Amino acid sequence: MTTLNWGIMGLGNIAGSFATYFNQPDGQIYGAASRSLEKATAFTQQYHIPHAYGSYAEMLADPAIDIIYVATPHNYHFDGIMASLNAGKHVFCEKAITMNRRELNAAKALAAEKHLILAEAMTIYHMPLFAEIERQQVAQDLGALKSIQVTFGSFKELDPTNRFFNPELAGGAMLDIGVYALAFARRMLSAKPELIATQWVPSESGVDQQSTLLLNNAHQEMVTVTLNLHAKMPKQGVLVYEKGYVTVDDYPRPDKAQLTFPDGTTQIIQAGDATNAMNYELHDFQEVVRSHQENDTLALTSDVMDIMTDARAQWGFVYPFEQPSDLI
């Protein structure tokens, strides 16, 4: 089997984590690029990567590279995605995949035109636990899914100069942590939800500090999402079925959950290995690339982006580098 060669675009902390845990027998990290050759060389030496590039264009011009992992700050994702697709590379992009629905639709259209695979690096769509929960829903006769409650709160200092609260760097809770909460909900819902109502609290810098969202879909599966970027909250999702509920802690990379029955008895559901979370998604992505099949997780990513865009439109929150029409 031919080895798939990966190139890394953007060499921050998340790229270091990617290089550390990458473990695919039929794939390898072939190169890494930065705007500085010195920085790229230091990164490739640290992680034993064979090729360093002093510009993104240089890496994209290398015919040996099959896949680009976009690990730049998310306000630069769109440019990196489009450049990579135009260079004939498949793209695996960090979250949030783009800033808004308009950007994602443009990227999807280009990927389709070029017959290339585009996907968001969202572990939630690939963790074995979630398929096991769905199996247990049937095996334990839990009945229909009725509602989902999701929370995510992270305490960050209210410093407008850091990326979390800087509007010029696309700061705010929605694109930073809300994407996880909404991806969890969408993964477990049986159909796309619509945004019914939302409230937000802006920070002094103008980005979203706190918000709540209420969603519903055609099957009357209701979702409540609570986000906060200045208060610690559990990364917890609760799936409420007719005959029990399942609590999933640390849902971005979980390998166990607790099922609670109406009489109060509990049962642990386990599947997969949280420490290997990244490699589940890498394996699945490579399988799609090899098979030239449609990437079904991109539809989930699109549904989440629609909700995030609709919420910001209702708030009237537009980043300085966006136009109000970007949120239509």
Side-chain angles (χ1 to χ4, degrees), residues 120 125 183 186-187 189 296-305:
E120 183 177 50
Y125 298 148
R186 183 62 191 94
R187 168 61 185 85
L189 292 169
D296 57 1
T297 67
L298 191 57
L300 304 181
T301 292
S302 296
D303 290 352
V304 169
M305 183 56 65

Side-chain angles (χ1 to χ4, degrees), residues 82 85 103-115 118:
M82 299 300 276
L85 292 172
E103 289 186 348
L104 181 53
N105 286 343
K108 287 166 58 180
L110 183 58
E113 176 189 328
K114 299 286 187 179
H115 304 288
L118 170 65

